[in-house]
Amino acid sequence: MASAAEQLASNLNFSTFAKAEDLKKRLWFTLAALLVYRLGTHIPLPGLNPEAYAQAFRGQAGGILGLFNMFAGGAVERMAIFALGIMPYISASIIVQLMTSVVPSLEALKKEGEQGRKVINQYTRYGTVLLGTLQAYGIAVGLESGNGLVVDPGWFFRISTVVTLLGGTMFLMWLGEQITARGIGNGISLIIFAGIVAALPSALAGTLELGRTGALSTALILTVIVVAIAVIMLIVFVERAQRRLLIQYPKRQVGNRMFQGDTSHLPLKLNTSGVIPAIFASSLLLLPATAAGFAGNSEMPGWATTIISALGHGQPAFMVLYGLLIAFFAFFYTAIVFNPKDTADNLKKHGGFIPGIRPGERTAEYIDYVLTRITVVGAAYLVFVCVLPELLIARTGVPLALGGTSLLIVVSVTLDTVAQIQGHLIAQQYEGLIKKSKLRGGKRGR
C-alpha cells in the first residue's frame, strides 16, 4: 500500500490538479477567507487618534508589541479590529493542553476520543473568551493612559474596545475552523502564516533600497540570501525527520488459519515541540522591554535600566538567555505533549511490542530514553535557527524580513499545506482507479 501511494504521488501532474474540482473549491475558499482576514487588519478601532497612536507604537515596536504585531499581520501597528489576532485562542489552547497533564478530569476527557476532544475544544473556546476579554480591557486602559491616543476616554470607549477586539478574535477563531473544515490546511496556522507573509514585500523592498543607496553591500545581501535558503532547507529536513521505532505484533489465529504477525513503526518527530519554545522564550525576554516602555525610563531605578539594556536585541545576554529558554521549553513542552507511559500502555493494549523490550514499564522507559536523545538534537536545532537571525542582525545590520520564529512558522505551515494538497490529489487518483476498475468489471460481465 505504501509503495502504491508513493507511485501515485510521483505521478501527480498539472492535469491531475486540473481535474480536482473539490480541491480547487477548497483552495478558492481558503484564499477568500484569508483575504477577509487581511481586510480586517486594515479596519481601525473606533475612537483612536491614528497619528498619536502610530508615534506611540514606534516607541514600543522593539518590545512584545512587535512580536504580537508580527502574529497579527500588522493589525497591532494599525490597532485594527483584528489587533488581538488569534493569540488568545493559541494561549487558551496551550493552557488547556498543559492542564490536561495535571488535572485528572481533563486527562480523562483526553482519553475519551472524539467526544472528549469536543469538550476540551469547548473549554478552549471559553478560555479564549476570558483571555480575550482581559487582554482587550487591558489594551483599552493602556490606550487611555497614553497622551492623546483616545479621542473620548471613558467607559463607552472601554466597552466598545472590548466588544470590538473580542469580536474580532472570535470571528478569526470561527474563520480558522471554517478553513480547516472547508478549505485546505490548518485554518489557525494559515491565518498566522498570512499575517507573517504579508510583511515580506515591504521588508524585502526596504532591504533592496538599502542596497541601492549603498547602506548595505551587494555581497552582504547575497550572503544573507544564501544563508536564508540554507536555513530553510535545514528546517524542511528537520521538520520532516523522524526516529521510527519498530513495533511488532504477535501472530494470530483465526479459525484454523494462522496469520503472520504485522510490523509497523512508531514515528517520533525530531522536533516534537514545534515552534512553541521560540514563542515562549521571545515573549518572556520581551516583557521587561515592554514594561520599561510603558513605565518610562525616568521612573525606573538604575539597576532596572541596566538589566533592560543587557536584554536588548543583539546583546550577548539576550542571545544566551534566548537560547537557554528555547532549550528549556523544548524539553518542557515535549514532556507535556508526548507521554511515553500512555504510548506504552496503548501498545500493550493492542498487543504491540518493541523487539527486545518488555511491554509496559520497560517500553515506556525505552521510549522516554529515545525521546530525550532526539529532543537534545531538536532543541539544538531550534536554538540555532532562532539565534542565527539575531546574530546576523547584530553583526551585519541587515533588517531581516523573517526572524527565526516566523521562519519556522512559515516553512512548517507551507509543508503541512502542501502535504494536504498532495493527499487530496492522491485520494482523487485512487477514486479514479476504482472507477476504472468497476467499469472494466462491468464490461467483462456483459
Side-chain angles (χ1 to χ4, degrees):
M1 181 64 73
S3 60
E6 292 173 0
Q7 185 176 1
L8 282 173
S10 64
N11 292 333
L12 296 178
N13 50 38
F14 183 76
S15 62
T16 306
F17 178 79
K19 297 175 183 177
E21 295 297 330
D22 179 66
L23 177 59
K24 286 191 285 186
K25 289 178 182 178
R26 287 178 173 271
L27 287 173
W28 281 116
F29 179 85
T30 303
L31 292 174
L34 294 178
L35 178 61
V36 170
Y37 161 64
R38 290 305 303 158
L39 289 174
T41 59
H42 288 81
I43 302 175
L45 189 71
L48 279 184
N49 183 338
E51 291 79 11
Y53 177 77
Q55 183 177 358
F57 179 82
R58 282 193 290 269
Q60 297 292 328
I64 199 169
L65 290 183
L67 180 67
F68 287 161
N69 186 57
M70 178 189 71
F71 290 124
V76 177
E77 182 180 4
R78 295 180 285 271
M79 192 46 67
I81 60 174
F82 290 161
L84 279 182
I86 208 69
M87 290 305 292
Y89 177 78
I90 295 175
S91 301
S93 300
I94 294 172
I95 292 172
V96 171
Q97 197 171 30
L98 293 176
M99 290 179 66
T100 55
S101 301
V102 295
V103 179
S105 58
L106 289 177
E107 188 175 4
L109 279 174
K110 186 179 179 182
K111 296 178 180 178
E112 288 182 6
E114 185 63 29
Q115 189 62 34
R117 280 194 293 271
K118 287 181 180 178
V119 177
I120 291 176
N121 288 338
Q122 196 63 30
Y123 288 157
T124 304
R125 294 187 182 98
Y126 294 150
T128 303
V129 173
L130 178 61
L131 289 177
T133 302
L134 293 175
Q135 291 179 12
Y137 183 77
I139 288 174
V141 174
L143 290 173
E144 284 188 339
S145 65
N147 186 17
L149 297 182
V150 180
V151 177
D152 186 18
W155 278 106
F156 178 78
F157 172 77
R158 296 180 189 179
I159 294 173
S160 64
T161 298
V162 170
V163 171
T164 302
L165 293 180
L166 180 61
T169 294
M170 300 309 292
F171 175 79
L172 288 181
M173 185 180 71
W174 173 84
L175 191 66
E177 292 175 350
Q178 295 302 308
I179 293 175
T180 302
R182 303 171 59 185
I184 287 291
N186 182 285
I188 302 299
S189 300
L190 281 173
I191 287 174
I192 299 175
F193 169 86
I196 295 173
V197 171
L200 274 178
S202 60
L204 291 175
T207 303
L208 294 177
E209 180 64 20
L210 290 175
R212 189 186 66 83
T213 58
L216 295 175
S217 66
T218 304
L220 180 59
I221 294 176
L222 291 176
T223 302
V224 170
I225 292 174
V226 171
V227 171
I229 294 173
V231 171
I232 290 173
M233 292 173 64
L234 173 66
I235 294 174
V236 172
F237 175 77
V238 175
E239 292 300 321
R240 285 288 175 257
Q242 294 178 344
R243 169 72 162 88
R244 295 184 176 184
L245 300 181
L246 180 65
I247 305 297
Q248 187 82 38
Y249 291 93
K251 297 179 181 180
R252 55 193 177 91
Q253 185 172 357
V254 180
N256 295 325
R257 298 186 62 184
M258 180 67 72
F259 290 89
Q260 184 67 30
D262 296 329
T263 59
S264 65
H265 293 89
L266 174 65
L268 300 177
K269 287 190 65 176
L270 199 60
N271 178 28
T272 307
S273 57
V275 75
I276 297 298
I279 295 175
F280 280 3
S282 300
S283 301
L284 283 178
L285 284 177
L286 292 176
L287 277 176
T290 304
F294 282 119
N297 293 330
S298 60
E299 302 178 6
M300 288 191 306
W303 61 267
T305 305
T306 303
I307 292 176
I308 290 168
S309 300
L311 294 179
H313 276 290
Q315 299 298 322
F318 173 86
M319 285 184 276
V320 170
L321 279 177
Y322 190 33
L324 291 176
L325 285 173
I326 289 173
F328 168 76
F329 283 121
F331 282 93
F332 176 76
Y333 197 71
T334 298
I336 294 297
V337 299
F338 191 95
N339 190 331
K341 188 176 184 306
D342 289 345
T343 304
D345 290 342
N346 288 331
L347 286 175
K348 187 176 181 181
K349 186 187 303 181
H350 294 90
F353 62 93
I354 299 175
I357 306 295
R358 185 180 301 171
E361 189 65 30
R362 292 290 299 167
T363 298
E365 292 176 359
Y366 178 74
I367 294 174
D368 183 65
Y369 169 73
V370 174
L371 187 64
T372 302
R373 292 178 66 188
I374 63 175
T375 303
V376 171
V377 180
Y381 146 76
L382 284 176
V383 171
F384 174 77
V385 170
C386 294
V387 173
L388 181 62
E390 296 289 339
L391 287 172
L392 287 176
I393 294 172
R395 296 293 179 265
T396 65
V398 178
L400 296 181
L402 292 178
T405 307
S406 53
L407 194 62
L408 279 169
I409 294 173
V410 169
V411 176
S412 300
V413 174
T414 301
L415 289 174
D416 292 340
T417 305
V418 169
Q420 286 205 24
I421 292 174
Q422 289 181 340
H424 278 277
L425 292 175
I426 291 173
Q428 183 186 343
Q429 283 207 340
Y430 269 123
E431 291 176 1
L433 291 174
I434 291 172
K435 288 180 181 178
K436 287 182 181 178
S437 63
K438 286 182 178 179
L439 289 173
R440 290 171 182 169
K443 290 179 180 178
R444 289 171 183 172
R446 288 196 295 269

